[in-house]
Amino acid sequence: MDIALWFAAVGAPGSFWDSPSNVSGMVVLGFGVAAIALSFGLAKVFKRFNGVAWLVLAAGLALSGYGIWRMAG
């Protein structure tokens, strides 16, 4: 089944997914959210937020911000 039909089945507007910048923005946003989740996982493993966890959290926030900015443009 075509991916556009999957998005239509869940009620997502087709015009959003027709734009390449929106699709790439969603991919970048997904990586950003995954990095944020990874930072909290690292903090749990290290029993505190150390430098690595803060760095991964900052990278995740930056990626998420860039993805949102990319979709807004």
Side-chain angles (χ1 to χ4, degrees):
M1 186 181 275
D2 191 26
I3 195 162
L5 293 176
W6 281 103
F7 288 124
V10 296
S15 61
F16 178 83
W17 299 105
D18 289 340
S19 173
S21 66
N22 288 342
V23 174
S24 66
M26 282 300 292
V27 170
V28 171
L29 180 63
F31 279 115
V33 170
I36 292 170
L38 177 65
S39 73
F40 284 108
L42 287 172
K44 189 173 183 176
V45 166
F46 293 130
K47 308 272 192 274
R48 63 185 177 91
F49 264 93
N50 62 358
V52 175
W54 281 112
L55 185 65
V56 173
L57 179 64
L61 291 173
L63 281 171
S64 297
Y66 177 69
I68 292 170
W69 175 77
R70 183 106 169 121
M71 288 185 292

